[in-house]
């Protein structure tokens, strides 16, 4: 009887187990196929990200160049304004010096005239 049960189990279970093994192999193949597709898509995304990184680096470099250009231009304009102001201040200083010199001369003349008048009045 054990042999009959054994034979029954082998005749019934063996094909079932073989079918399960076939299903497992098919699943393994599908998983491998999905894994390859996923790796392919990840590689494509990596390439796109790398390309975007390069574009971003180029744009950042371009912005850096423009900012540096604007900075230099602004510094040049500031320097020109400083030179203009410096020249104007020198001219203004010269005019003030001339005006002060003329005022001092007039005050000295006025002082001498007043001293002369005071001396003449005291005699």
């Amino acid at each position: 009887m054990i042999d009959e049960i054994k034979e029954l189990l082998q005749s019934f279970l063996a094909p079932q187990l073989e079918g399960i093994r076939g299903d497992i192999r098919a699943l393994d193949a599908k998983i491998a196929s999905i894994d390859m597709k996923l790796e392919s898509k990840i590689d494509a995304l990596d390439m796109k990200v790398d390309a975007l990184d390069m574009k971003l680096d180029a744009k950042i470099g371009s912005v850096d160049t423009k900012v540096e250009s604007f900075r230099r231009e602004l510094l040049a304009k500031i320097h020109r304004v400083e030179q203009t102001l410096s020249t104007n201040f020198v001219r203004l200083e010269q005019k003030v010096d001339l005006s002060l010199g003329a005022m001092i001369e007039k005050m000295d003349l006025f002082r001498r005239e007043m001293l002369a008048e005071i001396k003449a009045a005291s005699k």
Side-chain angles (χ1 to χ4, degrees), residues 72-85:
R72 287 182 182 168
E73 185 178 326
L74 183 60
L75 287 175
K77 286 180 180 180
I78 289 171
H79 185 66
R80 285 193 300 273
V81 167
E82 284 176 341
Q83 286 178 331
T84 301
L85 288 176

Side-chain angles (χ1 to χ4, degrees), residues 45-57:
L45 283 174
D46 282 345
M47 289 181 359
K48 286 180 180 179
V49 167
D50 289 344
L52 287 174
D53 279 347
M54 289 191 308
K55 285 181 181 179
L56 184 60
D57 287 345

Side-chain angles (χ1 to χ4, degrees), residues 11-22:
S11 65
F12 178 72
L13 288 179
Q16 295 295 324
L17 289 175
E18 206 45 53
I20 290 173
R21 283 184 188 141

Side-chain angles (χ1 to χ4, degrees), residues 95-109:
K95 286 182 180 181
V96 168
D97 286 346
L98 287 173
S99 295
L100 284 174
M103 287 172 65
I104 289 171
E105 285 180 22
K106 286 180 183 178
M107 287 176 66
D108 280 346
L109 179 63

Side-chain angles (χ1 to χ4, degrees), residues 1-16:
M1 172 131 172
I2 292 179
D3 285 337
E4 288 176 8
I5 293 174
K6 191 176 183 184
E7 188 176 316
L8 177 67
L9 287 175
Q10 284 181 347
S11 65
F12 178 72
L13 288 179
Q16 295 295 324

